[in-house]
Amino acid sequence: MVDVQRYSGGHQHDEGRHSNGVNENRVGRLAPYPGTTATISDNGKVLEGNTGQNGLRFTFAAPVPAGDHKITASCTDGKNCQPEGPDTVWVGHKGLQPLNDNNVYILLPNNNDPKHPDNHNLTLTAASRMAVFAAMYHGKYPNLSVLQLNDASLERGGIFDLRHDWKAPHHEHCGGSAIDIRANGVNGALNITGDGVHTTNDGTVHPADPMIDKLQTIADAVGADAVWEVPKDSNGNFVWNARHFHTRLTGQEGLTCP
Amino acid sequence: MSVTIRVVPVVFLAFVSCLSLVAQAEIGTGTVQDPVTGKLTNGVQQDWNQGVVLDPQTGNYIITYKDAYGFFNSSVLEPATKITPNLTAQFRLTNQDGLIEYRYALSNARTSKQGIKGFRVLVSSVAPGNPMKTGNWEGMVAPTVKGPNFYLSWFCSQGDNVCSLLPGRRQEGLRMTSRDLPGISVAEIKGKTTFISGLVAERDVSSALAQQINDLTSFKDFVPRNTAVPLIPVPKPFDAAAVLTSMQKHVNQDLVAMKLIDPALASQLDRLFQTAIAAAKGGNTAAMKGNLKDLRQMLKREHADVDKDDDDWDKEDDGKGKEKDKSRLIDKLAAKVLDFDLKYVQKHLGHND
């Protein structure tokens, strides 16, 4: 039997995590190893079979959220069984690391989402490129506040479920290759005053702020791609206060989410 | 009785990509971007066809997709490729301790629909203090952080705004110096877009449609042009074998992949490079000199004026008169670059041309 361990993989929430409906893919799934026979139930959480002389071999398919998966075994004939060997599968993206503190950017604490407290994880290449990007921005605009960085990836990547529902509205934040640069003017953040297409808080559409072009030009120069973004809420309305640059740091690498 | 459980985690992270059809008609609610004003209108109910459509009038793309919340979005994407650029390069050895000066001229065809915002190219190194600012054109250099190379770029910057090279205009004098010898790299040239797309992020990038959108807007959103840039490192103290090995690799890997040299000619050059490198490593200067001479003669057979110096440095290359060279076994700029590099090595060996 397999189940994911609570609060593992960077998720400080557990509700609904252990169910494994056909279309949910929240917990890893067991299956007979090709060429062997075994019975599975509970959509792959439970596997039954005969160990014979050589043991029972099976496969494990990882789910979309990262996390530790404990595999437990017991005998079905009432005898005392003693499982041997490793029993936990580490699920996630290898090679992610927390962004270091740096005087050319500010790491924003994830106050709005305490259930994902560790949200600044990137690959080494992406982290280095972000540092170069921020340093070039600061060098060009030394009188402005340094860039403020928000969501990148969780500590092991995988699905970044903003609504704590094990689904993925936060696309491209799974593989440690993208990060959001805050642009809503809050607490000294870069303040994009208009983009010529979205309605701002005062109900008007303001002309495009030249800083959009300038920031994107610096991104071009360092090999990144700063996509201007005003996200929508679950009702389909734009949230101007959450405007930011969704910044892809390593081309197409790592953008594909589960 | 003890039972041994063998855990065989065959697939650790089997993230599954879902392919979606590029055209799917569906009734729903969503947001529409006006193709003329760019304004976004929310709460539109209609029949949506997901996909990417090119507007032949404007050259912009209309993309329509369904987001993670089930709402539709129809957005205008203006590619940065509505330009026909010409980028010419010149290079020469300066009098300053082995520094090589590179100079570029960028022009934008009258038929282009956008100004040129700038370009970026991969280089091996630039000398400190480079690239230099020229008029409104600001040069930047940034480590790629992936390998030893750098991104060299020039972008148009006027006061507080990003500017552009208008159609029909030409910008000369983009220059820099480097200790490294020239090779051929692809400059990624971008037009200046005027349209901000309101709906491009936060979509499922694993879908075929999203991939198509990303290709159009982000990862292939430039016009490529081959150009000469510092790519062959020159060790200090000078090491002929190391320089020739870098050149050999550049020919066999980069120039062949870029289809700038016929593979048969590349093989012939490779054999001569091999013997020259062996001679350099063995300290057989006379043999190496002979190999270098043979290499240069091979290039000269393809382009008779390949060894012509840029003696007319005061006049920038206008890129004209190059069509006639296209049928040769090696691109003329590639041949010129290789000849320059070989001549540089010869010079270090005390060779008199």
Side-chain angles (χ1 to χ4, degrees):
Chain A
M1 177 180 172
V2 64
D3 202 359
V4 62
Q5 294 187 311
R6 66 195 314 233
Y7 303 147
S8 63
H11 298 273
Q12 293 298 313
H13 60 106
D14 202 52
E15 192 176 346
R17 190 174 198 183
H18 305 276
S19 73
N20 213 22
V22 175
N23 298 318
E24 289 177 339
N25 196 18
R26 298 172 182 180
V27 181
R29 293 169 195 263
L30 306 176
Y33 191 77
T36 68
T37 54
T39 307
I40 56 167
S41 57
D42 200 4
N43 287 310
K45 283 180 77 173
V46 178
L47 178 139
E48 287 182 67
N50 194 327
T51 63
Q53 295 298 312
N54 299 316
L56 178 62
R57 302 183 77 193
F58 54 89
T59 63
F60 172 89
V64 290
D68 290 325
H69 281 68
K70 183 87 179 281
I71 295 174
T72 53
S74 57
C75 287
T76 55
D77 58 1
K79 293 181 178 171
N80 183 28
C81 299
Q82 193 63 47
E84 294 176 6
D87 63 358
T88 303
V89 182
W90 186 101
V91 173
H93 274 268
K94 290 281 187 188
L96 302 194
Q97 57 181 40
L99 262 177
N100 293 323
D101 286 331
N102 196 313
N103 58 7
V104 294
Y105 56 68
I106 292 170
L107 296 175
L108 295 167
N110 204 7
N111 292 335
N112 294 332
D113 185 7
K115 292 180 177 175
H116 296 125
D118 188 5
N119 62 334
H120 293 124
N121 298 281
L122 291 172
T123 64
L124 179 61
T125 302
S128 305
R129 187 158 291 158
M130 187 61 243
V132 172
F133 186 172
M136 286 191 78
Y137 173 83
H138 185 51
K140 200 158 168 51
Y141 304 105
N143 297 324
L144 298 180
S145 170
V146 296
L147 295 178
Q148 298 192 4
L149 307 182
N150 211 333
D151 287 347
S153 290
L154 300 179
E155 63 188 38
R156 291 190 199 172
I159 215 162
F160 195 151
D161 54 335
L162 292 171
R163 292 179 292 175
H164 314 127
D165 57 0
W166 311 105
K167 293 176 183 168
H170 216 11
H171 291 300
E172 302 189 349
H173 287 270
C174 308
S177 64
I179 192 165
D180 290 340
I181 299 172
R182 180 176 276 185
N184 62 2
V186 172
N187 294 331
L190 177 64
N191 187 15
I192 298 298
T193 54
D195 63 5
V197 299
H198 288 91
T199 303
T200 59
N201 292 337
D202 61 5
T204 58
V205 176
H206 293 275
D209 189 327
M211 184 53 87
I212 295 176
D213 237 354
K214 290 190 281 190
L215 192 93
Q216 289 176 335
T217 298
I218 296 172
D220 283 337
V222 303
D225 177 30
V227 182
W228 169 245
E229 183 178 16
V230 180
K232 283 180 168 182
D233 63 18
S234 55
N235 296 315
N237 298 313
F238 289 109
V239 186
W240 180 252
N241 279 348
R243 61 196 182 274
H244 61 269
F245 289 91
H246 173 76
T247 306
R248 299 155 172 165
L249 294 162
T250 53
Q252 307 224 39
E253 276 180 32
L255 294 183
T256 303
C257 284
Chain B
M1 185 183 88
S2 71
V3 176
T4 301
I5 300 295
R6 291 184 181 163
V7 178
V8 186
V10 173
V11 184
F12 281 90
L13 204 56
F15 291 156
V16 179
S17 297
C18 304
L19 289 179
S20 70
L21 295 174
V22 174
Q24 297 168 332
E26 196 176 339
I27 294 173
T29 305
T31 307
V32 174
Q33 185 165 28
D34 186 297
V36 178
T37 65
K39 303 282 168 50
L40 294 159
T41 305
N42 246 349
V44 177
Q45 288 199 336
Q46 62 180 50
D47 200 2
W48 304 80
N49 288 292
Q50 293 195 63
V52 179
V53 177
L54 174 67
D55 179 347
Q57 294 293 319
T58 61
N60 296 339
Y61 295 97
I62 310 291
I63 63 152
T64 305
Y65 68 97
K66 196 176 189 176
D67 64 28
Y69 298 112
F71 294 102
F72 288 93
N73 302 278
S74 180
S75 179
V76 181
L77 294 184
E78 181 186 3
T81 54
K82 297 194 285 187
I83 52 174
T84 307
N86 185 33
L87 181 64
T88 57
Q90 291 172 292
F91 39 89
R92 67 172 178 179
L93 189 60
T94 70
N95 298 326
Q96 304 168 49
D97 191 26
L99 277 181
I100 295 158
E101 182 176 3
Y102 293 80
R103 185 170 68 180
Y104 303 92
L106 179 65
S107 58
N108 194 7
R110 289 181 197 283
T111 51
S112 295
K113 299 282 193 292
Q114 293 167 326
I116 293 176
K117 175 182 170 181
F119 66 94
R120 184 184 75 197
V121 63
L122 206 60
V123 302
S124 57
S125 80
V126 298
N130 282 274
M132 304 158 203
K133 189 175 195 301
T134 303
N136 291 332
W137 286 76
E138 191 171 351
M140 290 182 263
V141 63
T144 61
V145 308
K146 203 174 181 182
N149 293 339
F150 295 83
Y151 288 124
L152 167 72
S153 57
W154 269 281
F155 284 96
C156 187
S157 175
Q158 192 168 32
D160 208 26
N161 290 311
V162 174
C163 53
S164 71
L165 181 68
L166 297 174
R169 302 293 290 272
R170 177 178 162 84
Q171 175 64 49
E172 298 182 341
L174 306 175
R175 61 181 69 205
M176 55 154 297
T177 56
S178 171
R179 292 203 172 280
D180 291 350
L181 292 166
I184 303 290
S185 189
V186 176
E188 300 178 358
I189 306 174
K190 284 196 159 194
K192 187 174 188 309
T193 57
T194 54
F195 220 95
I196 288 183
S197 183
L199 305 160
V200 290
E202 289 296 340
R203 58 177 181 269
D204 178 7
V205 77
S206 66
S207 74
L209 174 59
Q211 188 61 57
Q212 194 178 356
I213 295 166
N214 277 352
D215 283 348
L216 286 172
T217 58
S218 300
F219 305 119
K220 295 177 185 170
D221 194 22
F222 58 82
V223 175
R225 291 288 184 267
N226 295 332
T227 193
V229 294
L231 269 188
I232 309 295
V234 179
K236 206 170 183 179
F238 182 76
D239 179 344
V243 172
L244 292 170
T245 302
S246 295
M247 288 181 65
Q248 181 192 32
K249 189 176 164 194
H250 185 51
V251 172
N252 291 342
Q253 294 182 2
D254 305 332
L255 299 188
V256 169
M258 295 163 89
K259 299 189 182 347
L260 295 178
I261 187 169
D262 185 272
L265 179 61
S267 296
Q268 292 175 40
L269 291 176
D270 184 60
R271 281 194 288 277
L272 280 173
F273 271 119
Q274 281 180 35
T275 52
I277 292 163
K281 286 180 176 171
N284 188 347
T285 306
M288 180 170 40
K289 281 182 175 178
N291 295 138
L292 296 180
K293 194 174 172 187
D294 291 344
L295 278 163
R296 291 191 66 195
Q297 280 177 348
M298 200 174 280
L299 296 169
K300 194 171 172 59
R301 276 203 292 274
E302 299 304 320
H303 296 281
D305 60 347
V306 73
D307 55 349
K308 181 175 171 289
D309 285 332
D310 275 326
D311 47 5
D312 201 4
W313 183 258
D314 293 335
K315 181 178 179 298
E316 298 221 18
D317 187 352
D318 60 7
K320 291 177 182 168
K322 295 191 169 175
E323 296 303 310
K324 61 181 181 288
D325 294 313
K326 283 191 172 170
S327 63
R328 309 289 179 129
L329 295 177
I330 181 170
D331 170 82
K332 185 169 182 179
L333 181 61
K336 205 171 163 67
V337 158
L338 292 179
D339 186 73
F340 180 91
D341 297 352
L342 291 166
K343 193 161 61 175
Y344 181 93
V345 178
Q346 284 180 325
K347 191 172 177 179
H348 267 272
L349 300 175
H351 178 92
N352 293 319
D353 213 4

